[in-house]
Amino acid sequence: MTNGSWWAVTLSESVNGTRPLAVVCNGQELVVYRDAAGKLFALEDRCPHRRVPLSLGTVKPGGLQCGYHGWTFDGATGACLEIPNLHADERVPVRYGARAFRVAERDGFVHVWLGEGSPDGELPAVASQPGGREFTGSAIVSISFDGYLGVMLDGPECLLGFDGVRITDFFLGDPRVEGTHLVLDRGAVWKTAMLPPAFVTDHPLIVRTAVPLAGGMIRVDLLDADETQVVSIWIAASANRRGTTGICWRGFRYGNALRAAPLRWRVARAAGRAPFALFDKIDGAAIAALLVAPSRNLAAARAEHAAPMDAAA
Ligand code: FES
């Protein structure tokens, strides 16, 4: 899995100005915090003194102070700025320091550069700001990161659901690479609709899943038959500890009214309830039963996407 890209590690509002936040992204343990001016910093979540998590420390005016012996680290460089109780003739050794990471913020996500060298490429963007109602959340799910991406293509209904919508197995075309994502459309129907017993040929809805070729920002759209967006969800996903995957998301319900939407959908909309859910409990039996189909294209597409970057390095 590439590290050579920006990774969205958490939601902007999850990092407040009072407590440092521990996050795990692509296996890297990080502490993210803001100073009093709201500026973001990211350090390895490990004090170089005795390996205590820096996320247990305190945000100070000059940096992040470890909670154990009180060493303070500069958030931008990781350099140790202060060690309490030094004698007047002692100085902080210059080699003492925590590993610092480049951090940036865009469209409500905090992004960290986990690669070597200087960041390249654009920060992943939430491509449109629908202006509709927004819903956010986070979870850690008991499936590997690669497994999560694969299931998002092979059986997204195992990972998420739209209110009152049945996602079918019917692919509307082959998986295709669009920019930095592998994209697949599948048909969907309202659960209240009467269906032919075996085969659905008319899909009033489309579920479009776009899985990243680098980094970890997944996008899922619910579209009507004219491909007008109904709901869009941006999911930041990455490997957490012990084979799990951390996810956080921002989803938007667009302002358009769906003529054929069932009563349940309209009532939920009027009540301000989220029109979708990201599952934090994964049904292993359902995932094991999925055919490995569109996700077969993912590894090749990722390798092809990485090749030009490797050549340029
Ligand atoms: S373990 Fe952090 S200052 Fe000692």
Side-chain angles (χ1 to χ4, degrees):
M1 188 59 58
T2 178
N3 271 354
S5 60
W6 289 101
W7 288 80
V9 300
T10 190
L11 302 175
S12 290
E13 61 268 33
S14 299
V15 190
N16 59 39
T18 55
R19 291 185 59 80
L21 178 73
V23 295
V24 181
C25 179
N26 202 25
Q28 175 69 55
E29 303 200 2
L30 301 164
V31 54
V32 184
Y33 74 95
R34 294 183 194 273
D35 65 12
K39 188 175 180 189
L40 277 168
F41 301 96
L43 297 171
E44 184 177 11
D45 194 12
R46 190 177 70 146
C47 179
H49 183 212
R50 293 284 175 82
R51 311 294 186 253
V52 169
L54 287 172
S55 54
L56 300 177
T58 306
V59 179
K60 294 289 184 183
L64 184 60
Q65 185 178 54
C66 177
Y68 198 5
H69 305 103
W71 294 18
T72 299
F73 300 92
D74 182 282
T77 66
C80 184
L81 301 173
E82 184 182 348
I83 296 176
N85 304 319
L86 288 183
H87 291 122
D89 59 345
E90 291 179 312
R91 295 285 177 272
V92 177
V94 290
R95 69 178 184 281
Y96 287 180
R99 185 177 174 198
F101 294 85
R102 294 288 296 270
V103 60
E105 197 165 18
R106 182 168 185 179
D107 297 334
F109 287 94
V110 174
H111 302 262
V112 173
W113 176 261
L114 294 180
E116 300 296 328
S118 298
D120 57 26
E122 288 282 308
L123 282 176
V126 172
S128 59
Q129 294 288 351
R133 181 84 188 249
E134 183 183 22
F135 304 90
T136 62
S138 62
I140 296 175
V141 290
S142 56
I143 183 173
S144 70
F145 175 56
D146 283 346
Y148 195 85
L149 296 183
V151 172
M152 193 59 78
L153 290 168
D154 291 336
E157 68 279 7
C158 295
L159 304 179
L160 59 87
F162 294 98
D163 201 17
V165 173
R166 179 181 301 147
I167 304 173
T168 76
D169 290 334
F170 196 93
F171 303 150
L172 305 174
D174 292 324
R176 60 193 185 278
V177 173
E178 288 186 4
T180 57
H181 286 72
L182 186 64
V183 180
L184 179 64
D185 292 349
R186 46 177 88 223
V189 295
W190 296 111
K191 286 180 179 173
T192 49
M194 297 293 290
L195 300 179
F199 199 65
V200 178
T201 55
D202 183 24
H203 300 93
L205 298 166
I206 299 165
V207 171
R208 176 170 295 161
T209 49
V211 170
L213 302 178
M217 192 77 90
I218 301 163
R219 177 168 173 173
V220 182
D221 287 297
L222 178 68
L223 312 162
D224 71 10
D226 297 328
E227 301 202 17
T228 301
Q229 287 162 314
V230 179
V231 175
S232 294
I233 315 169
W234 283 262
I235 308 165
S238 74
N240 205 291
R241 299 188 188 93
R242 300 180 183 273
T244 62
T245 298
I247 57 172
C248 60
W249 62 88
R250 307 195 88 89
F252 299 89
R253 179 175 52 210
Y254 293 77
N256 52 327
L258 287 168
R259 284 190 307 277
L263 181 62
R264 173 182 170 140
W265 176 276
R266 285 181 274 143
V267 168
R269 179 190 172 103
R273 290 201 301 270
F276 65 88
L278 274 289
F279 303 149
D280 57 2
K281 303 279 188 304
I282 303 287
D283 182 348
I287 287 175
L290 286 175
L291 289 176
V292 178
S295 69
R296 283 207 187 100
N297 301 59
L298 185 57
R302 299 194 97 171
E304 200 169 312
H305 180 78
M309 291 192 291
D310 291 345

